[in-house]
Amino acid sequence: MFLTVHASAGIYIGTVITNPWLAFILAIISHLILDAVPHGDENIGKETDRKKKIIKLSIIAFVDTLGVVILYYFLTSYFITPSPAIILGIIGSIMPDYLWGVYELTKNKILGWISIHILSYFHNILHTRVSLPVGMLIQALTLLFFITLVIL
Ligand SMILES: [Zn+2]
């Protein structure tokens, strides 16, 4: 699932939970739960060519992180006041995918264990796959859902 979608959940958590570290932990958990929802982009980054894969993932990560920043500025400009809980909510909500990205780059053993036994585990928990278009729709609705919760 895209970072921007995860971040929308993290922002919502940060608006409800005022303790920044609790928001951080709950945001990490929200990441795992959202990743369990079939979301169509599971095959992104499955290229066999390592160089191509890293370039592609870096571009996606860059654009997606830009999406997180835009979402944050949009919501804090018009609807919510920035707070440490919101910032840590965002960081917690997107951190698992960054850990996975660092693992892809470094092949670090500890990050590899986390990626395989925790992140991939939640991704595959439902054993259901949807197509990319259906997945994009699910992600767009999830994003709208959390933005609505934040705004209301
Ligand atoms: Zn993820």
Side-chain angles (χ1 to χ4, degrees):
M1 192 166 274
F2 285 106
L3 297 173
T4 309
V5 183
H6 282 298
S8 69
I11 292 171
Y12 174 62
I13 290 167
T15 60
V16 180
I17 309 289
T18 46
N19 181 307
W21 292 108
L22 186 60
F24 177 70
I25 290 165
L26 290 176
I28 294 176
I29 295 170
S30 81
H31 185 109
L32 300 176
I33 294 169
L34 284 176
D35 268 355
V37 177
H39 50 273
D41 60 18
E42 291 88 350
N43 285 333
I44 289 179
K46 287 270 157 71
E47 279 85 357
T48 37
D49 184 300
R50 186 170 151 77
K51 208 177 156 193
K52 265 190 205 158
K53 176 176 169 171
I54 287 179
I55 291 171
K56 190 175 165 188
L57 286 176
S58 305
I59 295 170
I60 293 171
F62 177 77
V63 175
D64 205 2
T65 303
L66 208 62
V68 174
V69 173
I70 292 168
L71 178 69
Y72 173 79
Y73 276 107
F74 166 69
L75 290 173
T76 55
S77 300
Y78 301 105
F79 303 102
I80 51 173
T81 316
S83 71
I86 290 173
I87 300 289
L88 280 182
I90 294 174
I91 294 172
S93 69
I94 63 178
M95 197 184 66
D97 281 343
Y98 273 103
L99 292 182
W100 169 67
V102 173
Y103 161 67
E104 287 292 339
L105 285 175
T106 61
K107 295 293 171 189
N108 175 288
K109 283 211 172 75
I110 297 166
L111 293 179
W113 190 91
I114 295 172
S115 296
I116 294 161
H117 294 281
I118 301 177
L119 305 181
S120 295
Y121 174 77
F122 277 92
H123 256 125
N124 299 316
I125 211 163
L126 291 183
H127 300 287
T128 314
R129 286 279 184 270
V130 295
S131 65
L132 190 64
V134 172
M136 291 302 104
L137 183 66
I138 291 173
Q139 296 203 41
L141 291 175
T142 308
L143 180 65
L144 271 178
F145 173 73
F146 283 111
I147 290 176
T148 308
L149 285 182
V150 169
I151 291 175
L152 290 180

